[in-house]
Amino acid sequence: MRETIGARALRKRQYDEDDVRVRPGKGSRPRTRVRPAHDEAVEGFVVAVDRGRYTCLVGAGIPRIDGDGQAARRVKGSARRSGKDDRTLVVAMKARELGRKGIVVGDRVAIVGDVTGRPDTLARIVRVEERGSMLRRSADDTDDIERPIVANADQLVIVTALADPPPRPRMIDRMLVAAFDADIDPLLCLTKADLAAPDELVSLYEPLGVPYVVVEKGSPLGELRERVSDRISVLVGHSGVGKSTLVNALVPDARRAVSHVNAVTGRGRHTSTSAVALELPEGGWIIDTPGVRSFGLAHVAMETVLAAFPDFNEAAVDCPKGCTHLGDGCALDRFVVDGPGDPARLESLRRLLASREGSADDD
C-alpha cells in the first residue's frame, strides 16, 4: 500500500527484529535453589570478627560440640593434646549464599578457598554449623530484636568489681537471666576484693545457688583457672571491672589493653572494642567481650526465667491467668507460706523477673 504526500510516494515501513528492544537477561544460567554441598570445606572456629572479616582457627584441637547439638561442658581437643603446629589462622569473608545470617565469635563454620593463612589471602565461610548455645541481648527492653554476642559458650563468667566501680546487682540479675535463657552455666567473678568485702554481694545470690570466685590484686588465680579449664567461658561485665586484666593473667600472650575508672563518673572506659576468643595454656577457651552499660532482655520470655527454678515452676501452674508473679494473688506466695518454698529463693526469682521490666541501663 502506498500513500502520496505532495509529489512523493511513501511506502509503509516494514518492521523487523532490529526494531524490537530486548532487555538483556541477568545471566545465561537458570536460577536454582540447589546449593553446592561444599564437601571439600574444612572446619574452622571463629576467634575474632572485624568489619566483615572473620578470623578462624583451622586444624587440630579446635573446640567441638556434642552430637546432640548442646555445648560441650568440657572442650574436646585442646592445645595440650593436639599440637599447635597443625593449626592455622585464616581470614575469611561470609559467602553470599548465607544471606543475612550472622556469624559471631565461637561459631563453628565450614570454610572453602585459600585456607593456607598466608598474608593477603581470603577464604569464604559457606556454612555455619549447628550452635550448642547462643548468648544474646537486645538493645533495650522495648526492642525485641536479638543481638547475638557469642556462640557455643558453656559458661558465662559475670565479672563485677566489689568497688571502683561499685557493684550493680540489677545488671548482674540481667546477665543471670541471659545465662538461663541461653542454657549456659553462670559464674560470678568478684574482683577488687582488696577494696571491699564480698560478703554482702555473695549473700544476695546465695539463694540462687550461683557459684562464685573472689579475686584481688596480686592474688593467685588458681580457683578461677580451675573453673574455666577445658571449657568455653565468655567474660561479660562493665567497663573497668577488670575483665582485660583477668584475661592477661590467664593468657600471658593476650596483651589486652587495660584502663582506669573515671573518677568523676565512676565508670570505666571501653578498652576491648570487640569480642575475641583466646586459648588457655592449660586447655579451654575464654572469650573477652567489650564492657557493657546496658543489657536488654526484651527477647526473654517470663517462662524462661521460671524454668530456671524447677520448684517454683511447678507451683506456678496454680497461678491465675496472666499472673506476672510479682503482685498479689500469686500462687507462689501460698507455696512459700505452706512450707515447701524458700522465701529467699522466691525473692531472688522476683528480682530476676522484675529486672526484665525495668530499664536496660544499669543505673
Side-chain angles (χ1 to χ4, degrees):
M1 184 179 81
R2 294 174 178 268
E3 297 178 1
T4 303
I5 300 180
R8 293 189 304 169
L10 300 181
R11 180 174 296 182
K12 190 172 182 179
R13 182 174 180 183
Q14 299 296 322
Y15 289 93
D16 59 21
E17 61 272 10
D18 293 333
D19 296 302
V20 180
R21 182 179 179 184
V22 179
R23 179 175 296 175
K26 295 183 179 179
S28 59
R29 208 166 46 175
R31 297 187 64 184
T32 176
R33 291 182 178 272
V34 178
R35 294 290 184 262
H38 295 299
D39 295 329
E40 77 285 1
V42 299
E43 187 179 18
F45 177 66
V46 180
V47 297
V49 179
D50 183 18
R51 293 169 291 183
R53 295 294 183 263
Y54 305 90
T55 303
C56 308
L57 184 66
V58 174
I62 65 175
R64 309 287 179 179
I65 302 299
D66 287 343
D68 59 358
Q70 296 297 315
R73 288 306 188 251
R74 285 289 180 260
V75 178
K76 301 178 182 179
S78 68
R80 294 179 302 171
R81 307 173 185 87
S82 302
K84 287 188 176 182
D85 294 339
D86 299 332
R87 302 184 302 176
T88 305
L89 284 177
V90 175
V91 178
M93 62 178 290
K94 183 172 65 173
R96 180 178 297 180
E97 61 202 65
L98 292 181
R100 301 183 66 180
K101 184 179 183 65
I103 301 174
V104 296
V105 172
D107 267 326
R108 290 169 52 249
V109 295
I111 308 173
V112 298
D114 192 333
V115 294
T116 61
R118 291 194 298 259
D120 301 324
T121 59
L122 189 64
R124 280 190 307 132
I125 296 176
V126 295
R127 187 171 61 249
V128 179
E129 306 295 352
E130 182 181 3
R131 290 161 170 163
S133 66
M134 173 60 77
L135 179 65
R136 65 196 84 205
R137 68 186 179 105
S138 56
D140 54 53
D141 290 332
T142 62
D143 181 7
D144 57 358
I145 299 178
E146 301 173 356
R147 267 78 170 177
I149 303 175
V150 168
N152 295 322
D154 56 42
Q155 182 169 239
L156 176 64
V157 182
I158 304 173
V159 184
T160 185
L162 294 168
D164 191 33
R168 297 180 173 92
R170 193 166 72 183
M171 177 64 81
I172 299 175
D173 293 344
R174 286 176 165 268
M175 293 178 180
L176 284 175
V177 171
F180 297 149
D181 175 61
D183 192 23
I184 299 175
D185 297 336
L187 172 67
L188 276 179
C189 180
L190 308 179
T191 63
K192 304 184 182 182
D194 51 316
L195 302 181
D199 302 349
E200 182 179 354
L201 196 61
V202 168
S203 63
L204 188 61
Y205 293 96
E206 187 175 8
L208 293 174
V210 179
Y212 68 92
V213 294
V214 179
V215 298
E216 61 182 72
K217 186 176 182 180
S219 65
L221 300 177
E223 185 178 1
L224 180 60
R225 288 182 185 277
E226 181 179 353
R227 288 188 176 274
V228 299
S229 176
D230 289 337
R231 304 193 69 167
I232 302 178
S233 304
V234 52
L235 275 61
V236 180
H238 289 280
S239 299
V241 296
K243 292 192 310 300
S244 297
T245 301
L246 286 177
V247 170
N248 289 334
L250 293 171
V251 186
D253 296 334
R255 298 187 181 91
R256 298 292 276 175
V258 297
S259 69
H260 301 284
V261 176
N262 189 305
V264 177
T265 64
R267 296 187 175 192
R269 186 180 64 180
H270 293 295
T271 51
S272 301
T273 57
S274 60
V276 61
L278 301 164
E279 191 169 18
L280 295 166
E282 58 272 12
W285 292 77
I286 56 173
I287 302 176
D288 187 19
T289 62
V292 295
R293 291 178 180 171
S294 65
F295 211 99
L297 297 174
H299 63 287
V300 179
M302 177 175 59
E303 292 75 17
T304 301
V305 183
L306 272 175
F309 296 79
D311 47 349
F312 289 112
N313 195 24
E314 294 180 4
V317 299
D318 298 325
C319 288
K321 184 177 181 180
C323 181
T324 62
H325 308 299
L326 298 174
D328 298 333
C330 179
L332 299 184
D333 290 317
R334 295 195 301 271
F335 182 68
V336 170
V337 172
D338 293 342
D342 184 352
R345 276 178 59 81
L346 177 58
E347 181 181 355
S348 298
L349 168 61
R350 285 178 166 165
R351 192 177 71 244
L352 295 182
L353 289 173
S355 71
R356 296 172 53 255
E357 308 297 332
S359 169
D361 197 291
D362 63 308
D363 290 337

